[in-house]
Amino acid sequence: MSEDEFRAAMSRLAAGVVLVTAHEAALDPEGPRGEDVGMTATSFMSVSLDPPLVMVSLREGSRMDDLLAEQPLWAVSVLSEHQRTAAARFAMKNRVSDRLLFADLGHTRGGITGAPLIDGALATLECRTEQRVTAGDHTLVIGRVLASTAVGTNAGPLSYFRGRYRQLAP
């Protein structure tokens, strides 16, 4: 089976769209500083209720994979059908800096993780990495949910199907 055949088959599986974010803290002579990092993901799922665990699949060697190998705190924003632009923005490949991606995107900083939580998301979760598993060309990151919110809204979820963002019909 070719990579293209496998990709075509898997594109027939609808998936929810999330933004995975983290704050890359660094020290310099003038004091603490850092940069927010984010990526769009469709390979995200709940794993366990007790303890509360979730899993995200990250491309091995991606900036987020490298960051979460160094520090364990991250967040997830479950995107609504109205957030296609944000999903597309954070899915861009070969970008130089994440700083510009967050510049005009409404968000608050997670009280536990310090990671950006995207305004208007259907739900947010703050997580701490519990386990990392290498799986082919990806890393499966299992995180313990430290805090979560579910927003009361009538908006539906953003989904990804056959290579396009879509909204679910009511």
Side-chain angles (χ1 to χ4, degrees), residues 138-163:
H138 277 65
T139 303
L140 306 179
V141 179
I142 299 170
R144 180 181 294 255
V145 179
L146 306 173
S148 66
T149 61
V151 178
T153 177
N154 290 331
L158 182 61
S159 65
Y160 193 73
F161 180 72
R162 295 188 75 176

Side-chain angles (χ1 to χ4, degrees), residues 6 10 15-21 38-47 54-66 68 74-76 90 129 131-143:
F6 182 62
M10 295 311 299
V17 182
V18 301
L19 286 185
V20 179
T21 58
M39 62 164 275
T40 301
T42 56
S43 295
F44 175 77
M45 62 183 277
S46 64
V47 175
V54 294
M55 185 201 73
V56 64
S57 179
L58 306 175
R59 185 174 32 84
E60 191 174 72
S62 67
R63 182 154 185 215
M64 187 65 72
D65 182 40
D66 291 346
L68 295 187
W74 46 286
V76 174
F90 283 87
T129 300
Q131 187 175 1
R132 293 172 52 87
V133 179
T134 300
D137 59 1
H138 277 65
T139 303
L140 306 179
V141 179
I142 299 170

